[in-house]
Amino acid sequence: MRFHPVTGRGIRINYRTYDHAILNEHRGRPCPTGPGGKWEVHLNPHDVRQIYLRLPDGHLHEIPWIHRDHVHAPMSETTWRHIRTTLEQRAEREAHEAALAEAADQILRHTRPTTPAPPAAPATAPGTRAGKAVSQAAGGEPAAPHRTAAQAEAEDSLDALDARSPAEDQDDVGADESGALTLPGSGTLTLYDADQEAELW
């Protein structure tokens, strides 16, 4: 959980802009209950393409990243920081954020490729040894899809990056660009539920 202001452009977290029409009546206004007038925000560190904002009705509302529809796979905070450190800023803020989103989509597409279906087995005579093996395989468990060495290396590289503990991602605690307060994480949730996470605070 963290606290952020709602500005005219939405909510900025680590060079990402989150926005939705539901924010219109709250833009530039202080939260009546948050510290320093900031609003309560929940973020899943394993998929930062949306955040969850608590509004005065007491409920958490999903606010999408403005480039969410362009990044077609879940993106962790760790992956985003890696992209930010490797892509030099050469344009103003909005254009740079769009370039980061494009880079993120390309990286996620290339590091998690779709494994092609294995080629069909050649026809064999039922009475041959190969034919018996094919017959036995047909009634058993399907074979695991084949991964090339390059695919395995790319997938393992990203999995290792995502597997870093939350403690390794706390270098901007209390000091992100909007000045928002970031509190220590409450652990990894396999399926992120903002309301469940909020109950832990």
Side-chain angles (χ1 to χ4, degrees):
M1 181 173 65
R2 51 177 72 197
F3 295 88
H4 289 266
V6 175
T7 70
R9 296 185 176 183
I11 300 171
R12 287 277 290 180
I13 301 177
N14 296 337
Y15 294 85
R16 297 183 305 272
T17 305
Y18 298 87
D19 199 12
H20 190 278
I22 201 172
L23 299 179
N24 289 346
E25 61 182 295
H26 307 294
R27 298 181 192 277
R29 297 182 179 178
C31 175
T33 57
K38 294 179 181 178
W39 298 79
E40 179 185 333
V41 172
H42 295 259
L43 181 145
N44 176 4
H46 303 290
D47 187 4
V48 297
R49 295 176 300 164
Q50 58 278 314
I51 59 174
Y52 302 87
L53 176 73
R54 191 177 300 282
L55 292 178
D57 62 7
H59 297 293
L60 290 170
H61 297 264
E62 182 176 309
I63 311 297
W65 180 33
I66 61 173
H67 297 290
R68 179 173 69 176
D69 292 341
H70 187 70
V71 179
H72 298 89
M75 177 179 63
S76 72
E77 188 71 72
T78 303
T79 300
W80 174 256
R81 291 184 185 182
H82 173 72
I83 294 167
R84 274 185 50 203
T85 59
T86 56
L87 185 64
E88 179 182 353
Q89 182 167 353
R90 298 180 178 178
E92 48 85 26
R93 188 172 73 179
E94 287 77 10
H96 181 57
E97 183 175 354
L100 289 169
E102 174 66 25
D105 186 58
Q106 291 299 317
I107 289 174
L108 292 170
R109 284 178 183 273
H110 285 88
T111 54
R112 296 189 184 278
T114 301
T115 304
T124 55
T128 65
R129 181 178 300 175
K132 292 178 181 178
V134 170
S135 298
Q136 291 174 354
E141 294 295 324
H146 175 71
R147 293 194 308 168
T148 67
Q151 288 173 334
E153 181 179 356
E155 292 176 11
D156 294 344
S157 175
L158 187 61
D159 289 342
L161 190 64
D162 287 345
R164 292 172 55 185
S165 67
E168 296 179 75
D169 290 335
Q170 295 299 320
D171 56 321
D172 68 345
V173 170
D176 68 23
E177 65 189 89
S178 68
L181 171 65
T182 303
L183 299 177
S186 57
T188 299
L189 299 177
T190 303
L191 181 62
Y192 187 76
D193 184 321
D195 290 300
Q196 179 181 344
E197 191 266 352
E199 292 177 0
L200 300 176
W201 293 89

